[in-house]
Amino acid sequence: MGRSNSKTLKIRRRNNGKKNHMVPSIDSIPKELVSEVLARVAAFSSTDFLSARLSCKVFNEVGEDNYVFHHVSLDKFPVIPWRASEEASSFLNKCRESGNPEALYRQGVVDYFSYMRLDSALECLKKAASSGHIGALYVLGIILLFHGDEFKQEGIQLLSGMKESKMSKRRVLKDCRENLKAIIRRIWIKNSIVLENRPVCCTMGDQHKKKEGWASETDEEDNYQYCQACTCDREVASICTMLPRSRVVFG
């Protein structure tokens, strides 16, 4: 007992000779900094983001910021949450309202291919594209091609521009195509425009395509050269392979 008291006195004397250093509270950290931290966590993992919000009151409050939801990763969320809980539905709605690019991209694809809501689809995809979502830019080009007339040339310029840019070297265009196919596989296609019509962009006929050389799906695209319209015909043909073939006509 005596030894214990002696040790306690020594510790108190040492502490009395030092200044007290207060450990900063999380409340003292600027909300903008907390928001930035949570946004980075959310962009990496929605699961970690939700766990962080449960850890303290400050994280939970700041976690409601639109800025944070704008950056949330949706990798763990299905494109069509058929059996989503009310909480999950509310979470995804918050992402869309906050301008989350992936949420807007998915909504745009579903609006167009499933429900034929052209205006809504274009609005969502344009917002996503303006936030840097390359896949949304790709789908915009595909939609413009399907709608033809004055839209077709705009779609040709958009898609061919992606093909001719440095993005092609990073295979971004291929990734955009595969991502769109992955969504199409999971949704019910009810848009009569894409079901009943396959746009033809190149007007130079089969001889031109033969001269330029058509590559198969397994060939390396960079080994072939196409005119801008042929490039778009390739993209449309690839997407149409995912649609009910019996109803697709050329036009």
Side-chain angles (χ1 to χ4, degrees):
M1 188 71 178
R3 292 182 179 179
S4 178
N5 289 337
S6 177
K7 289 182 179 180
T8 301
L9 289 173
K10 289 181 180 179
I11 291 173
R12 286 178 178 175
R13 288 169 183 169
R14 286 200 299 267
N15 289 339
N16 288 337
K18 297 181 180 179
K19 295 182 179 179
N20 292 327
H21 294 283
M22 298 296 293
V23 177
S25 168
I26 192 171
D27 293 317
S28 65
I29 302 176
K31 290 293 190 293
E32 294 79 6
L33 180 57
V34 176
S35 180
E36 185 64 40
V37 170
L38 284 179
R40 296 194 181 193
V41 171
F44 180 77
S45 168
S46 59
T47 302
D48 291 345
F49 165 59
L50 294 174
S51 297
R53 289 192 62 180
L54 293 174
S55 65
C56 73
K57 181 179 179 180
V58 173
F59 280 175
N60 186 51
E61 292 177 351
V62 178
E64 278 294 316
D65 288 356
N66 288 339
Y67 178 78
V68 178
F69 273 86
H70 179 87
H71 292 82
V72 171
S73 169
L74 298 182
D75 289 347
K76 296 185 181 298
F77 287 85
V79 176
I80 303 294
W82 298 108
R83 299 180 180 179
S85 64
E86 183 177 346
E87 184 179 5
S89 297
S90 176
F91 181 88
L92 293 172
N93 286 333
K94 177 72 172 178
C95 288
R96 286 189 287 269
E97 293 169 358
S98 302
N100 183 288
E102 179 64 19
L104 291 172
Y105 165 72
R106 294 180 179 187
Q107 186 65 51
V109 173
V110 173
D111 278 352
Y112 182 74
F113 286 91
S114 286
Y115 303 114
M116 203 173 172
R117 299 170 182 164
L118 177 61
D119 292 340
S120 175
L122 292 179
E123 181 181 359
C124 288
L125 292 169
K126 286 178 180 179
K127 287 181 179 179
S130 67
S131 294
H133 198 296
I134 304 302
L137 197 64
Y138 174 83
V139 177
L140 277 173
I142 294 295
I143 290 176
L144 292 172
L145 293 182
F146 271 109
H147 277 267
D149 299 328
E150 70 273 15
F151 298 107
K152 182 182 289 187
Q153 189 56 43
E154 184 180 350
I156 291 175
Q157 293 177 353
L158 196 159
L159 288 177
S160 60
M162 292 180 68
K163 176 68 177 179
E164 294 168 1
S165 70
K166 293 181 179 180
M167 289 189 296
S168 63
K169 296 180 180 179
R170 299 193 298 270
R171 305 306 243 172
V172 174
L173 194 64
K174 181 178 179 181
D175 290 341
C176 291
R177 183 190 312 127
E178 295 306 315
N179 288 339
L180 176 57
K181 285 184 177 182
I183 296 180
I184 289 177
R185 292 188 187 100
R186 291 170 170 80
I187 63 178
W188 186 8
I189 307 299
K190 295 184 289 185
N191 188 328
S192 60
I193 294 177
V194 299
L195 288 174
E196 299 174 0
N197 177 57
R198 173 169 157 179
V200 176
C201 302
C202 182
T203 59
M204 299 185 69
D206 293 337
Q207 290 183 348
H208 180 239
K209 292 171 184 175
K210 183 177 180 180
K211 178 181 177 182
E212 297 292 348
W214 276 99
S216 68
E217 286 292 325
T218 57
D219 288 332
E220 288 295 326
E221 295 177 355
D222 293 340
N223 294 332
Y224 292 80
Q225 298 295 324
Y226 307 97
C227 71
Q228 291 183 340
C230 279
T231 295
C232 294
D233 281 335
R234 268 180 63 84
E235 295 303 327
V236 170
S238 182
I239 299 303
C240 283
T241 60
M242 307 299 300
L243 307 175
R245 301 289 293 181
S246 60
R247 296 181 60 186
V248 176
V249 296
F250 293 84

